[in-house]
Amino acid sequence: MLSSATDLGFEPLRGKVQIIRNEDDVRQGLEALLRLDPRLAPIAADAGPIPLRLREPGFAGLAHIIVSQMVSRASAEAIWRRMLPADGLLTAEGYALLHPEAWREFGLSRAKAETLARIAEAVASGRLDLSGLCLRPPGEALGELTALKGVGPWTAEVYLMFCGGHADGFPAGDVALQNAVGAAFGLAARPQAKALAVLAEIWSPWRSVAARLFWAYYAAKMRRDMVPVG
């Protein structure tokens, strides 16, 4: 049975929003997590180094996350290579100018292609500022991202974590993360999103470091990379 922060006697921290920029920030977050929740100490010992995995904010960063959803890492990287122009810089403006059937050549699903086209048009027209969005409070940023058709909470949360550097994100709907937490705590079944979100309150304001920790733990145990972006 999962325990909430209240059940365990922890009071989730609130205050200044933390931004992760480098490995030192991840180390600082991990140290804070171990003070908040000593149960994480053996998990951290098994996990080994925790990857930073930051990408530049903007269209390319969000597009890469969308491309990587629901496919293997090898498939995602093959699609991504086909999408990149000769100069290696994928921009919203460039994507918006592609011919309508380009997505078939890339190997994208129709749903992903339509989502990327909508985002590219919004960014190219100036209606959406993906870099500026990362500087806004998480609730506002998540709301604006998920208002885009095809962008769900998981996509928005992962973008803010790995492109915006938000330190307190936790994509509780991520199946790999659910499996990782279930394995780390010896649960009979993986926790579902709602229960996992409640548990993760313990790790605020460093929940994105906690997510990195559990992905790293499961990768070490299962010998495969589970982080949702490369």
Side-chain angles (χ1 to χ4, degrees):
M1 179 178 178
L2 290 175
S3 301
S4 68
T6 302
D7 294 336
L8 292 171
F10 295 118
E11 183 65 29
L13 296 182
R14 297 292 183 263
K16 183 179 179 182
V17 174
Q18 298 287 335
I19 296 294
I20 292 174
R21 299 181 181 86
N22 51 47
E23 286 84 357
D24 285 341
D25 292 333
V26 173
R27 282 193 290 271
Q28 178 187 347
L30 180 59
E31 290 170 2
L33 284 171
L34 297 181
R35 291 192 297 270
L36 283 170
D37 188 353
R39 297 175 303 164
L40 298 180
I43 297 169
D46 288 339
I50 301 176
L52 176 63
R53 295 287 177 83
L54 277 186
R55 282 180 170 267
E56 288 293 323
F59 176 75
L62 181 55
H64 190 272
I65 291 167
I66 291 169
V67 167
S68 300
Q69 287 179 253
M70 308 279 299
V71 297
S72 69
R73 184 173 295 276
S75 295
E77 290 308 312
I79 294 169
W80 188 249
R81 286 193 297 271
R82 290 192 288 269
M83 289 175 61
L84 288 178
D87 64 4
L89 300 175
L90 183 65
T91 66
E93 293 76 11
Y95 192 89
L97 292 174
L98 293 173
H99 66 83
E101 297 298 305
W103 61 276
R104 297 184 187 275
E105 300 169 8
F106 299 150
L108 285 168
S109 68
R110 183 184 293 273
K112 287 184 179 182
E114 290 175 350
T115 297
L116 289 174
R118 281 189 289 268
I119 295 170
E121 191 280 327
V123 172
S125 68
R127 291 187 293 108
L128 178 64
D129 178 3
L130 286 172
S131 296
L133 197 65
C134 295
L135 303 177
R136 290 166 56 186
E140 291 181 16
L142 286 169
E144 185 164 342
L145 283 170
T146 54
L148 296 163
K149 186 178 179 181
V151 178
W154 182 92
T155 304
E157 288 163 351
V158 170
Y159 174 76
L160 292 176
M161 282 177 61
F162 290 106
C163 295
H166 283 205
D168 202 27
F170 196 88
D174 185 86
V175 174
L177 188 55
Q178 293 169 5
N179 282 325
V181 172
F185 287 130
L187 303 177
R190 65 179 173 87
Q192 297 301 298
K194 186 174 181 180
L196 184 54
V198 172
L199 172 63
E201 291 176 0
I202 299 167
W203 306 316
S204 182
W206 291 103
R207 282 177 287 190
S208 77
V209 177
R212 285 172 167 86
L213 168 63
F214 282 105
W215 278 316
Y217 168 83
Y218 206 60
K221 289 293 187 180
M222 301 299 291
R223 297 292 186 263
R224 61 192 180 94
D225 200 342
M226 295 183 63
V227 181
V229 293

